[in-house]
Amino acid sequence: MSYERIFAAAVGRVRAEGRYRVFADLARKVGRFPSADHRGARGDPREVTIWCSNDYLGMGQHPVVLEAAAAALEQYGAGAGGTRNISGTTHLHVLLEQELAGLHQKEAALVMTSGYVANEAAISTIAKLLPDCVIFSDSLNHASMIAGVRASACEKRIFRHNDLDHLEDMLKAEPRERSKLVIFESVYSMDGDFGPIHAVCDLAERYNAMTFIDEVHAVGMYGATGAGVAERDAAMARVDVVQGTLAKAFGCMGGYIAASRAVIDAVRSFAPGFIFTTSLAPAVVGGALASVQYLKTSTLERLAQQERATTLKRRLAEAGLPVMASPSHIVPILVADPVRCKAATDALMDRHAIYIQPINYPTVPKGTERLRLTPGPLHDDGKMDRLLTALGDVFERLDIKLAA
């Protein structure tokens, strides 16, 4: 048996389907976002414009965040020195968790190394601790939430995306006294639609279920203080557990949950993904703390981002490009073919110095391959003009179907 041949064959199948992923070698430039230097096959740097970053507001290079990160590095050093339980809890970690609990109006919060880890660790631990728990999961939930469901080893029920009737049918089929956990998202990152928070909470209350919401693509982006869609919709008090990230709108790294003190203490005490992982570096925590605090009071970035997203959707539609309907800041453009999707992004980079990552299966279902654009406050009209020209050129060259 050739082990190497097995791995090579597996990757070969991915290549044959046109969904092999290539890392873009980028060097972001402080003060020049969304510009970056890209190094292609020859290694020569070339300035490109990034249109697919999850640093939605450009906070990863905001002076307030950079100054706080630099101060934390100077004061605390490079690493945290261990797990949270063994010397890795700096005072900055404590302050950040207090800030996040306040942001979501919960009793406590717990910071972890990534949003993926936060979802997997929290969902699996909460479900395991609930006796005879059954999990109700939206069909479009993120891979990290699915991983949490699997790791829990609990029974699961998958309800059709945002289908409240289907969810209710499943809930009412279970005994009222049985433990239930409903997990869903506030912003679904590939289609850009919203989860119906109040309606899900209505059902959870009616059928005696806990709720767990992923606000990863919403924290920093929505609500008066950037707490997410639940804040915007005045639903924060109704959701039992909120999961968020520090790596998108807040521009840093890490994930977290916010909930009652009892829930947070239980996850802290039982979740292997938290217990056995080295703590986030102080510079990251310091930068994230400054970002959360800044976006609690500044609405300029959120408002500018929403305007840019609205303008880009309108201009794409006017140009006849197949922009998919989305009420949020996510701007997807349908290609519906993995090979053309990859070819389109290659051409955008090679011909127009525009970087957009192709979104293919398994991130989205086969036949729905797309470009996923995330316009931000710093994508000015000139950059948008060049993007529209480039997309028109590439879609015509590759004979990609335009809007009906």
Side-chain angles (χ1 to χ4, degrees):
M1 177 186 293
S2 170
Y3 293 110
E4 296 298 315
R5 190 176 302 153
I6 292 171
F7 297 125
V11 174
R13 291 191 294 272
V14 174
R15 288 183 182 273
E17 293 175 11
R19 57 186 184 90
Y20 180 74
R21 302 182 185 194
V22 178
F23 291 146
D25 183 347
L26 299 169
R28 302 207 317 171
K29 301 178 179 181
V30 173
R32 294 291 304 281
F33 186 78
S35 295
D37 280 341
H38 173 254
R39 285 173 171 79
R42 294 184 303 179
D44 298 327
R46 177 193 186 203
E47 185 170 280
V48 300
T49 302
I50 301 173
W51 277 93
C52 58
S53 174
N54 284 337
D55 186 0
Y56 293 133
L57 304 179
M59 293 301 294
Q61 299 187 32
H62 194 285
V64 168
V65 176
L66 296 182
E67 289 168 10
L73 179 65
E74 183 70 24
Q75 181 175 354
Y76 291 88
T83 65
R84 288 292 301 277
N85 286 313
I86 306 176
S87 81
T89 297
T90 71
H91 186 55
L92 288 173
H93 289 81
V94 175
L95 293 177
L96 177 57
E97 287 172 345
Q98 291 173 350
E99 195 73 37
L100 292 168
L103 178 69
H104 295 287
Q105 298 178 15
K106 299 297 184 187
E107 291 179 344
L110 190 66
V111 171
M112 304 189 205
T113 51
S114 73
Y116 190 105
V117 170
N119 264 337
E120 183 177 32
I123 291 170
S124 62
T125 300
I126 291 168
K128 282 179 182 178
L129 291 174
L130 292 172
D132 191 30
C133 181
V134 57
I135 303 174
F136 300 83
S137 177
D138 188 286
S139 62
L140 292 189
N141 276 341
H142 189 264
S144 58
M145 303 178 81
I146 296 169
V149 174
R150 289 174 177 164
S152 75
C154 293
E155 287 187 40
K156 66 178 184 292
R157 309 283 186 266
I158 311 300
F159 60 93
R160 290 185 293 271
H161 177 53
N162 279 352
D163 190 328
L164 297 167
D165 291 334
H166 194 206
L167 174 58
E168 182 167 23
D169 288 343
M170 290 181 166
L171 285 166
K172 69 170 57 171
E174 300 295 333
R176 179 172 177 78
E177 64 274 10
R178 186 177 187 185
S179 299
K180 308 174 192 72
L181 179 65
V182 180
I183 63 174
F184 65 112
E185 300 184 33
S186 65
V187 178
Y188 290 85
S189 62
M190 290 300 119
D191 291 342
D193 57 339
F194 294 114
I197 301 175
H198 277 294
V200 171
C201 290
D202 287 343
L203 292 176
E205 291 171 7
R206 188 176 307 156
Y207 295 101
N208 193 32
M210 278 188 70
T211 50
F212 182 109
I213 189 170
D214 177 318
E215 289 250 41
V216 157
H217 292 274
V219 290
M221 302 292 291
Y222 298 92
T225 65
V229 178
E231 181 183 35
R232 184 200 68 179
D233 294 353
M236 285 200 293
R238 304 193 68 192
V239 178
D240 293 306
V241 185
V242 178
Q243 183 267 349
T245 185
L246 304 167
K248 293 182 171 59
F250 292 128
C252 296
M253 178 186 175
Y256 65 89
I257 58 170
S260 69
R261 189 166 287 106
V263 169
I264 295 300
D265 205 21
V267 173
R268 183 186 70 83
S269 300
F270 287 93
F274 171 78
I275 295 170
F276 299 105
T277 300
T278 298
S279 178
L280 285 173
V284 172
V285 178
L289 175 60
S291 186
V292 174
Q293 291 172 332
Y294 175 85
L295 289 175
K296 272 188 173 182
T297 59
S298 176
T299 61
L300 295 176
E301 293 78 10
R302 283 192 283 278
L303 293 174
Q305 197 283 331
Q306 290 292 338
E307 182 278 323
R308 292 285 78 189
T310 300
T311 299
L312 180 58
K313 291 174 193 176
R314 173 181 57 78
R315 294 194 60 185
L316 288 168
E318 290 172 351
L321 291 159
V323 58
M324 301 167 68
S326 162
S328 73
H329 59 282
I330 308 295
V331 184
I333 303 176
L334 185 66
V335 177
D337 177 84
V339 175
R340 279 195 174 101
C341 195
K342 178 65 166 61
T345 58
D346 287 347
L348 286 167
M349 181 73 92
D350 296 340
R351 293 178 56 83
H352 300 282
I354 288 173
Y355 171 53
I356 303 172
Q357 187 70 17
I359 306 296
N360 290 338
Y361 177 85
T363 305
V364 295
K366 292 181 179 180
T368 68
E369 294 83 4
R370 66 198 66 176
L371 310 181
R372 177 183 176 274
L373 306 181
T374 53
L378 301 175
H379 288 99
D380 59 27
D381 287 342
K383 289 182 174 63
M384 201 172 288
D385 291 341
R386 290 188 289 275
L387 173 68
L388 269 291
T389 298
L391 286 169
D393 170 63
V394 168
F395 273 52
E396 181 179 1
R397 286 175 176 274
L398 296 176
D399 193 26
I400 297 173
K401 184 179 178 181
L402 300 181

